[in-house]
Amino acid sequence: MNTILLFAALTMSIYLCRFMGFTLKIPQASSFWTRFLHYIPIAIFAALVVSALYKDPNFLSSKLIAFAAAALVIGRTKHFGLSIVVGLCVLWLLMLTGI
Amino acid sequence: MFRLDAHLFKQGFTAVLPLWLASAPVAFAYAIAAREAGWDVSQIQLLSLTLYSASAQISTVQLLTSGTSAITIIITAVVLNLHHLLYGLSLARHMKLSRLQRATAAYFLTDGAYGITIDKNPTFSFLLGAEISLFIAWNLFTALGVLLGHLIVISSSAQLNFVAPLTFFVLLISSLKTRTDVTVALISAVIAVLCLSMQLGSLTILIVGITGAFIGARLESQRQPTPLAVNL
């Protein structure tokens, strides 16, 4: 198998997946499709979080507490970076204390 | 060529910096696995520069090593990345893009760049800033993995592995504005668990993206969205 040809085919295939979404035409006037597109990020974020926890269930309770802390910070401050730092620190502290 | 707003580009570039931490162990894992499979340095780096997809690159190393056919390797990579189609659809709703802008944005599109952009500032300059930032990180860490692979002991550090899900969780929380949003998030989480327990693997993101968004659109057409009374 020619590796460079395989790499080229892989690159083209994945690029098409990424590019097609930008070019597909969805009827702008349709309120259903407008609502559908609004909910895509919410559904995908939920799926990404659940997938990550499912694949790596270690320290699950600590991670859930860290999530709660991060949610509290983003809800109160709207500061994205701070909520990530707080979430990581909470997880680190919980792991340090053996929870 | 296209014009870029330097300020927005910089904002996008820095907004994804926490995700650099998340990409490091994955890039190291890819580089080390590829070296162990006998790939040369140029092949390892070339795939990071062109394919630029952690899941597809790692699966390619594994499948090539086990002697899988080229067509199976390509189909696997496509299935792993099919959900990017939804990202493009979602981003195109917010941005008026020229052909060149679409072509450029598509090349560097990743989960992290999409998530941060759609939540914070869905503009082309911000998106490209976030994309380039993550592209640099991925390629930098691939190169480090290649050069120092024999010295690096991949840590199973729970904190490093936790950066990506934590980032997506924070993005999820900040995008919940109505009760319907919360309902859709919960339903999507349940569907994701069902898909994963049925061993659907990477198709989970695509299935949840479509079904979750469909359910949300149906729910909203049945009732007016009520703003959340309690701000978390």
Side-chain angles (χ1 to χ4, degrees), chain A residues 14-78:
Chain A
I14 300 304
Y15 182 72
L16 279 178
C17 282
R18 290 170 171 157
F19 186 67
M20 269 168 53
F22 283 101
T23 52
L24 286 177
K25 294 279 178 235
I26 279 192
Q28 289 298 316
S30 162
S31 59
F32 177 83
W33 285 110
T34 307
R35 289 194 296 268
F36 177 86
L37 292 174
H38 165 77
Y39 288 108
I40 285 178
I42 293 172
I44 283 181
F45 292 151
L48 288 168
V49 172
V50 170
S51 294
L53 292 181
Y54 193 91
K55 286 172 191 163
D56 182 11
N58 296 323
F59 307 105
L60 187 59
S61 52
S62 301
K63 288 174 181 173
L64 293 177
I65 294 169
F67 276 153
L72 204 66
V73 174
I74 193 75
R76 297 255 181 231
T77 67
K78 308 286 177 208

Side-chain angles (χ1 to χ4, degrees), chain B residues 1-230:
Chain B
M1 287 298 285
F2 42 76
R3 284 190 157 200
L4 276 180
D5 181 322
H7 180 65
L8 286 175
F9 182 90
K10 193 176 161 194
Q11 273 188 353
F13 193 95
T14 52
V16 293
L17 286 181
L19 286 172
W20 279 49
L21 278 178
S23 74
V26 188
F28 288 157
Y30 156 69
I32 293 166
R35 285 221 80 159
E36 283 177 2
W39 291 23
D40 63 46
V41 174
S42 60
Q43 286 176 320
I44 298 171
Q45 197 66 51
L46 180 66
L47 207 57
S48 275
L49 286 165
T50 54
L51 184 55
Y52 183 41
S53 161
S55 56
Q57 287 176 231
I58 291 170
S59 71
T60 299
V61 172
Q62 288 172 341
L63 294 175
L64 259 182
T65 308
S66 62
T68 309
S69 68
I71 191 72
T72 307
I73 294 172
I74 293 168
I75 290 171
T76 305
V78 168
V79 168
L80 287 169
N81 285 274
L82 213 49
H83 61 281
H84 282 107
L85 201 145
L86 295 179
Y87 295 170
L89 267 177
S90 174
L91 287 166
R93 179 188 166 217
H94 295 278
M95 305 173 190
K96 286 261 179 284
L97 300 173
S98 68
R99 196 172 293 173
L100 182 61
Q101 285 176 322
R102 278 183 299 200
T104 310
Y107 186 81
F108 298 104
L109 191 60
T110 56
D111 296 345
Y114 163 75
I116 302 273
T117 303
I118 203 75
D119 183 69
K120 293 197 159 299
N121 196 333
T123 57
F124 176 71
S125 297
F126 188 97
L127 172 66
L128 195 63
E131 288 182 335
I132 297 292
S133 180
L134 291 174
F135 184 75
I136 291 171
W138 180 249
N139 279 282
L140 186 68
F141 291 128
T142 299
L144 283 175
V146 169
L147 295 172
L148 309 172
H150 57 292
L151 300 174
I152 296 170
V153 178
I154 296 182
S155 162
S156 60
S157 163
Q159 284 98 334
L160 277 184
N161 295 336
F162 189 57
V163 174
L166 179 63
T167 302
F168 292 123
F169 178 76
V170 170
L171 290 172
L172 173 65
I173 293 297
S174 61
S175 60
L176 301 179
K177 304 282 191 301
T178 67
R179 288 189 191 284
T180 312
D181 292 344
V182 176
T183 308
V184 169
L186 292 172
I187 291 172
S188 300
V190 171
I191 298 170
V193 172
L194 288 174
C195 290
L196 290 161
S197 60
M198 288 190 285
Q199 311 285 326
L200 292 178
S202 59
L203 277 178
T204 298
I205 309 295
L206 182 69
I207 292 168
V208 174
I210 293 171
T211 51
F214 184 82
I215 289 168
R218 293 287 297 173
L219 283 175
E220 200 180 313
S221 59
Q222 286 167 11
R223 65 181 181 205
Q224 276 300 102
T226 317
L228 281 176
V230 181

